[in-house]
Structure formats: C-alpha cells, structure tokens
Amino acid sequence: MPLDPSFIGRTYPPTEPYEVGREKIREFAAAIGDANPAYTDAEAAKSLGHPDVIAPPTFPFMLSFRAAAQVVNDPELGLDYSRVVHGDQKFAYTRPVRAGDRLSVTVSIDAIKSLAGNDVLTVRGEVDDASGEHVVTSIMTLVARAADEAGEE
C-alpha cells in the first residue's frame, strides 16, 4: 500500500542537542579519508577564519539520519524500513559545522511519491545551533522498494 501523501508537511519535534566535539570531527574526517587540516588543526581552521576546527560537509548526515528515525518509525506513516534504501543526500549550508556547536535537527516530510511501485520519501532536516541559528539543511531521499512480483510482502 503506497504511503499516504497527506503526511507531506508533517514536522517532528527537534532532537536533543548534539555537542560536536573536535575528536568526532577528526574521526569522521579520517573515516572518509579527507586530510583537510581545517578538520583536525584548530590553527589551520583559524587561519581560514573559523573559530575552531570545522566538520567535513557530510558530517551532518549522522545527525539528520538519526533525526529521520522519527519519520521512519512513525507507525501512522507505515513505512516498511526493511525495504528502504538511501536514494540521495544533499546539504545546503548557512555556515560550516564547528567544534563546540550544540546542534538540534527538526525533520519534516517534504514529498511522498510513488514511482514504478516504489515509495519515494523526501525528508528535510533543519539543523540549528543552540542559539537557534540555522547551520545547514539536509535533504534526504529514501526509497521503499516495491514488493517483488513473486508475492513477497
């Protein structure tokens, strides 16, 4: 059964603040293989005009993905997570994520479409710091694959 498009526009409560630490940024940069010194060296980041180390551009994925769990686990929506694949990810920045930021994410359902029997769900995450300043918007596309023709549920 396709997802109900009346859920478009539904907004979920903001997540608890996540404090961005220097070590988490270093670990993330190492995990993705990005040796940019602005991610590991406070002086290098300061020479670029930042108050401390900054995070790689994809760092907010982990925050927005955790926040999107509210959508995925919404029993009223009825999304079958066993069929979900991550289809796309985009970020629109106001400023870089910095060590010391305390970030909360508010997720909303931007779109629900049915394509070739698959449900395509677009989830927007607004990432704000503790003062309410917008930092980045995350746009995540999730695809719930259709049941196969052999009658798989």
Side-chain angles (χ1 to χ4, degrees), residues 87-105:
D88 192 25
Q89 183 71 51
K90 297 176 185 170
F91 299 98
Y93 275 87
T94 300
R95 67 161 177 82
V97 171
R98 307 171 185 140
D101 277 341
R102 290 181 48 80
L103 303 176
S104 295
V105 184

Side-chain angles (χ1 to χ4, degrees), residues 18-33:
Y18 173 89
E19 188 163 344
V20 179
R22 285 185 183 143
E23 193 56 33
K24 283 292 180 192
I25 292 173
R26 284 186 189 104
E27 290 170 357
F28 189 88
I32 64 171

Side-chain angles (χ1 to χ4, degrees), residues 75-136:
E76 293 178 21
L77 180 62
L79 181 66
D80 180 357
Y81 191 67
S82 71
R83 298 189 165 287
V84 172
V85 295
H86 186 258
D88 192 25
Q89 183 71 51
K90 297 176 185 170
F91 299 98
Y93 275 87
T94 300
R95 67 161 177 82
V97 171
R98 307 171 185 140
D101 277 341
R102 290 181 48 80
L103 303 176
S104 295
V105 184
T106 303
V107 292
S108 301
I109 298 174
D110 271 3
I112 296 175
K113 296 184 260 188
S114 185
L115 297 170
N118 300 310
D119 286 318
V120 180
L121 181 69
T122 304
V123 178
R124 178 174 36 92
E126 297 295 346
V127 181
D128 298 324
D129 69 13
S131 71
E133 177 189 357
H134 179 263
V135 177
V136 60

Side-chain angles (χ1 to χ4, degrees), residues 23-58:
E23 193 56 33
K24 283 292 180 192
I25 292 173
R26 284 186 189 104
E27 290 170 357
F28 189 88
I32 64 171
D34 194 330
N36 184 330
Y39 306 151
T40 57
D41 180 344
E43 292 309 313
K46 287 176 184 175
S47 74
L48 296 171
H50 304 291
D52 203 333
V53 295
I54 59 171
T58 55

